[in-house]
Amino acid sequence: ERAIRVFEHYYDLVDSGVSGTISEASIEPLRDVETLTHLRFTHEEEQDALRKVAVVKLNGGLGTGMGLSGPKSALTVTHGLTFLDITIRQILDLRARYDAPLPLILMNSFRTREESLAILGAYPDLPVEGIQQDFVQNAEPKLRRDDLTPVTWPSDPSLEWCPPGHGDVYLALQSSGLLAALRAKGVRYVFLSNGDNLGATCDPQIAAWMVHNEIPYVAEVCERTPSDRKGGHLARRRTDGRIILRDNAQISPGEESAFQDITVHTMFHANNLWVDLDVLDQLLTARDGVLGLPILVNEKTVDPTDRTSTEVVQLETAMGTAIETFEGSRALLVPRTRFR
């Protein structure tokens, strides 16, 4: 029911003409960001922090752009190992070095779950008692672009549905029962990142920095290069000074060059996030599940492999836009090695 209320919230926005764009004049570049390489915490401080952390990997992506039909994370990367195999080995290594439970949890979509859990099943030491290994993000109807009614596609009805973007991770964590289960196990923080980013390991220094300074939300950023011009970036909103994320889908018409100017907006958003579960639970409870993240209107065709199929819009949110929702959120400049 909460997922339906969230969908209604965004449907009402797009039906009233809200596009979710962010103009260049409404923001100023983000400056004076703390740097990971300057952090200095002891092994004991790192260990204490890691014992309060769980890792969530976004695992809903399909490798359709590479001609695949299954989860992208199941693609073999090197030496017979998939993205998931490498991620699991990173987790097991951290557990051994820091004597921390460090649960690994996948946010799957209805299309990626079975194959991904089969890979996890090959590692008997991976499960943590009382913590499920995955949860499934919600699904919502794709809407016809011409009249915003739910699209029908009789040849494959599953294509009538889509995930609501990875901003759904917060509500899905709570509604799956995982948020409560993690907190009951003493887990205070989650580290979230893309399933195909093998540089996004659970860095103990960042965990210790977050715990030591009681930061409710941390977004990792990297220095922008010409190849990152189309990636989302953080900025500061002029009206209230809040840090916000401006994604590619939120560019105001005619402002593409300003968005892509790497001399002005010098850091891109790596989609590596650290979130305080206590604060998240308070926000979700107070707002009845509707965090009010900025809307992303994604224009596609109902069959992504057929450009002649019915044009649709998908109402999505990005998890990184939650940075403006958490009071006291921070950005952290990290090396390029954490975006690999």
Side-chain angles (χ1 to χ4, degrees), residues 196-211:
D196 59 354
N197 183 1
L198 294 176
T201 57
C202 187
D203 192 300
Q205 283 285 303
I206 302 177
W209 179 63
M210 192 175 188
V211 171

Side-chain angles (χ1 to χ4, degrees), residues 73-267:
S73 61
L75 181 70
T76 299
V77 181
T78 182
H79 295 88
L81 300 175
T82 66
F83 282 105
L84 277 177
D85 286 313
I86 296 170
T87 297
I88 291 165
R89 292 173 184 218
Q90 291 170 339
I91 292 289
L92 295 176
D93 177 67
L94 278 167
R95 285 183 185 176
R97 287 194 285 130
Y98 287 91
D99 189 26
L102 200 61
L104 173 64
I105 303 161
L106 305 181
M107 183 171 82
N108 284 314
S109 71
F110 51 93
R111 295 177 181 272
T112 63
R113 188 177 196 219
E114 185 176 353
E115 190 172 346
S116 299
L117 288 181
I119 295 174
L120 267 59
Y123 296 86
D125 295 337
L126 187 62
V128 174
E129 185 179 355
I131 304 295
Q132 63 203 63
Q133 289 187 286
D134 86 313
F135 61 104
V136 178
Q137 64 187 126
N138 291 297
E140 66 181 19
K142 297 176 183 177
L143 305 174
R144 291 180 59 98
R145 187 179 175 187
D146 53 8
D147 61 7
L148 296 183
T149 59
V151 72
T152 56
W153 199 248
S155 61
D156 186 355
S158 71
L159 292 177
E160 299 169 1
W161 295 84
C162 64
H166 46 62
D168 181 54
V169 65
Y170 305 113
L171 179 61
L173 258 177
Q174 187 187 56
S175 58
S176 67
L178 253 171
L179 196 156
L182 288 167
R183 294 177 72 208
K185 280 283 188 177
V187 174
R188 174 76 182 269
Y189 305 92
V190 290
F191 171 53
L192 303 107
S193 61
N194 294 337
D196 59 354
N197 183 1
L198 294 176
T201 57
C202 187
D203 192 300
Q205 283 285 303
I206 302 177
W209 179 63
M210 192 175 188
V211 171
H212 179 77
N213 293 285
E214 298 185 349
I215 305 170
Y217 184 105
V218 174
E220 296 184 31
V221 294
C222 297
E223 290 185 358
R224 232 168 167 200
T225 69
S227 63
D228 309 308
R229 287 176 300 177
K230 294 186 178 181
H233 66 83
L234 297 182
R236 200 172 290 279
R237 191 162 50 207
R238 293 185 185 275
T239 55
D240 58 9
R242 291 261 182 166
I243 300 175
I244 66 166
L245 169 64
R246 182 168 65 162
D247 222 326
N248 193 272
Q250 296 169 295
I251 306 173
S252 292
E255 293 194 341
E256 289 80 5
S257 60
F259 177 87
Q260 296 181 17
D261 190 340
I262 64 174
T263 66
V264 175
H265 300 290
T266 59
M267 294 168 282

Side-chain angles (χ1 to χ4, degrees), residues 21-41:
T21 57
I22 299 171
S23 70
E24 185 71 17
S26 69
I27 59 175
E28 56 187 33
L30 191 65
R31 308 289 189 206
D32 302 323
V33 175
E34 185 92 45
T35 303
L36 172 58
T37 53
H38 291 163
L39 302 184
R40 296 288 183 271
F41 291 96

Side-chain angles (χ1 to χ4, degrees), residues 11-23:
Y11 185 92
D12 288 344
L13 287 179
V14 76
D15 192 37
S16 63
V18 172
S19 63
T21 57
I22 299 171
S23 70

Side-chain angles (χ1 to χ4, degrees), residues 56-69:
V56 173
K57 281 285 185 179
L58 304 182
N59 196 54
L62 299 173
T64 51
M66 296 177 282
L68 305 176
S69 57

